[in-house]
Amino acid sequence: MTERKKVLIAGATGVVGLAAMKHFANQCIKTVAISRRTPRETYGAAHISLDLMDADACAAFAREHGDVTHLVYAALFEKPGLIAGWRETDQIDTNDAMLRNLMQPLLESAKSLRHVSILQGTKAYGAHIRPIETPAREDRSEVEHENFYWKQEAYLREAAKGASWSWSTFRPQIIFGEATGAAMNLIPAIGAYGALLKEKGEPLHFPGGAHTVLEAADADLVARAIAWAGESDAAANQIFNVTNGDVFTWRGVWPAIAAALGMEVGEERPMRAGVWLESQSDAWATLARKHGLTEPDLKALLGESHHYIDFTMASGLEGQLPPAIVSTIKLRQSGFTEVIDTEAMFAKWFAWSQEAGYLPRPQ
């Protein structure tokens, strides 16, 4: 099967898209990755720059890649500022159009297509607008609200009727990985926050607000779940929550994060860390020159992820918020049982960022 398999990754510079590209390419599976930006590393995959809002370019691409057997659709359009755009019509319509622009011509040319994986998230349960059920379950906890997920899902369901290919939808919790300049990857954002404090001789102060119990999703683990789904009958036309398998609080993992950054834990200093980071471009450029870092442009390093810090850490709120926990029983009973300790995940990604030169090495 492997020699006849060709995987197309859409959104190769995003957190999950990059992890999926790395996974399949490292398995010596023929992998083609598309995105507007060029990834720093393609891991042996072929990368093609493609704007999914350009329908003609997508059609031309599909004609050249009719041998695709698996599509991993991890492309995402987010607006500047991130949070407000989640409920705005133009953001919804853009994401809907991007999927259709790629899928429609691909369905005409890729006669051997077997599986499509697509990403959603816990916004399917309204996590961005109100407390979610504990735990949120794929078959009964969805919240009626405007979201591009529903348009994309409806399109896939309709296109798959009577077809020889199947789809799987994944709903990870907060995803952590190696992508830089992404919409939602807290590794470079937290890492930059810590490095800037450390440069001033300060410990890693905790900037968060209200207490809440959360779950993380390691990008590599999500990529392996996607690979599993592409070959599993149990995953056909199913929706799965996916997480590391444990729960965490920001205060609880803060010592592990500090240790990974080579820092001591500081005080609780409630603040909007993302807003603060926006004012630190010059300080970061100076720090990057001093340490010979890979990316001296803080905005290019963070993308929109600094906005995500304030959202996930409940900055500006006090007290105890309801937990945000999803059930992963369906995924595990279907056959994917991998887990990773969340503190070990943080250690892994900060170590990778230091080795790759995005963050200073611990002294």
Side-chain angles (χ1 to χ4, degrees):
M1 180 180 293
T2 301
E3 62 272 17
R4 299 187 352 258
K5 187 172 181 176
K6 180 176 177 179
V7 180
L8 171 59
I9 310 292
T13 55
V15 189
V16 173
L18 181 54
M21 176 180 66
K22 178 177 66 175
H23 174 82
F24 287 109
N26 284 345
Q27 296 294 314
C28 298
I29 295 168
K30 190 173 184 180
T31 306
V32 175
I34 55 176
S35 56
R36 288 180 300 172
R37 292 187 293 130
T38 301
R40 172 178 176 268
E41 172 64 63
T42 62
Y43 297 97
H47 178 265
I48 297 171
S49 180
L50 184 66
D51 182 353
L52 295 182
M53 283 303 290
D54 187 335
D56 291 337
C58 289
F61 171 85
R63 287 193 293 270
E64 295 295 321
H65 295 275
D67 55 343
V68 166
T69 60
H70 293 71
L71 169 62
V72 178
Y73 190 87
L76 176 66
F77 168 73
E78 295 283 6
K79 299 179 69 174
L82 194 64
I83 311 302
W86 289 343
R87 303 177 70 179
E88 295 180 358
T89 300
D90 56 341
Q91 194 254 22
I92 294 170
D93 291 343
T94 297
N95 280 289
D96 181 40
M98 287 165 57
L99 175 65
R100 292 170 184 266
N101 286 345
L102 180 64
M103 280 289 296
Q104 287 176 346
L106 193 66
L107 290 177
E108 295 175 6
S109 64
K111 301 304 182 182
S112 297
L113 183 68
R114 300 204 299 267
H115 189 264
V116 176
S117 290
I118 194 165
L119 287 171
Q120 294 183 356
T122 51
K123 288 194 290 294
Y125 306 122
H128 57 310
I129 56 177
R130 64 143 180 82
I132 66 176
E133 294 181 8
T134 303
R137 296 179 181 270
E138 300 93 335
D139 61 345
R140 62 174 184 256
S141 300
E142 292 177 355
V143 175
E144 290 293 330
H145 64 286
E146 292 297 319
N147 197 312
F148 70 85
Y149 296 166
W150 314 137
K151 288 192 172 185
Q152 290 183 335
E153 184 179 318
Y155 171 74
L156 274 184
R157 288 179 182 274
E158 183 63 28
K161 287 182 179 178
S164 57
W165 56 273
S166 62
W167 54 266
S168 300
T169 297
F170 290 91
R171 292 176 178 169
Q173 271 275 31
I174 308 168
I175 312 170
F176 299 85
E178 71 181 67
T180 59
M184 291 175 284
N185 184 18
L186 293 178
I187 294 298
I190 295 172
Y193 168 76
L196 288 162
L197 286 179
K198 188 175 183 180
E199 196 69 10
K200 297 195 299 181
E202 297 196 41
L204 188 67
H205 302 303
F206 181 69
H211 296 263
T212 189
V213 180
L214 303 165
E215 291 170 297
D218 175 78
D220 288 343
L221 184 143
V222 176
R224 292 192 293 273
I226 288 170
W228 161 81
E231 305 301 336
S232 171
D233 290 340
N237 304 327
Q238 297 296 319
I239 299 172
F240 297 107
N241 295 327
V242 54
T243 73
N244 287 349
D246 57 4
V247 300
F248 79 98
T249 66
W250 282 115
R251 287 171 176 83
V253 298
W254 207 243
I257 291 174
L261 296 175
M263 300 177 69
E264 297 295 325
V265 176
E267 306 167 348
E268 290 217 7
R269 292 188 178 178
M271 63 179 291
R272 294 191 179 276
V275 174
W276 181 75
L277 281 169
E278 289 183 328
S279 70
Q280 298 300 305
S281 292
D282 291 344
W284 180 261
T286 300
L287 182 152
R289 285 193 298 270
K290 176 180 175 180
H291 294 278
L293 299 185
T294 302
E295 182 53 79
D297 184 337
L298 185 58
K299 182 174 178 57
L301 177 69
L302 302 181
E304 297 295 318
S305 294
H306 56 298
H307 299 293
Y308 203 40
I309 287 185
D310 296 336
F311 176 78
T312 60
M313 292 190 179
S315 298
L317 301 177
E318 297 180 352
Q320 177 75 48
L321 297 180
I325 298 174
V326 301
S327 171
T328 56
I329 293 298
K330 180 180 177 181
L331 178 66
R332 302 185 195 292
Q333 289 182 335
S334 297
F336 185 82
T337 58
E338 288 193 46
V339 297
I340 181 173
D341 181 275
T342 292
E343 291 192 4
M345 177 204 72
F346 279 117
K348 176 183 83 166
W349 287 124
F350 285 123
W352 179 91
S353 299
Q354 292 154 359
E355 183 67 25
Y358 286 111
L359 297 177
R361 293 176 182 270
Q363 298 296 321

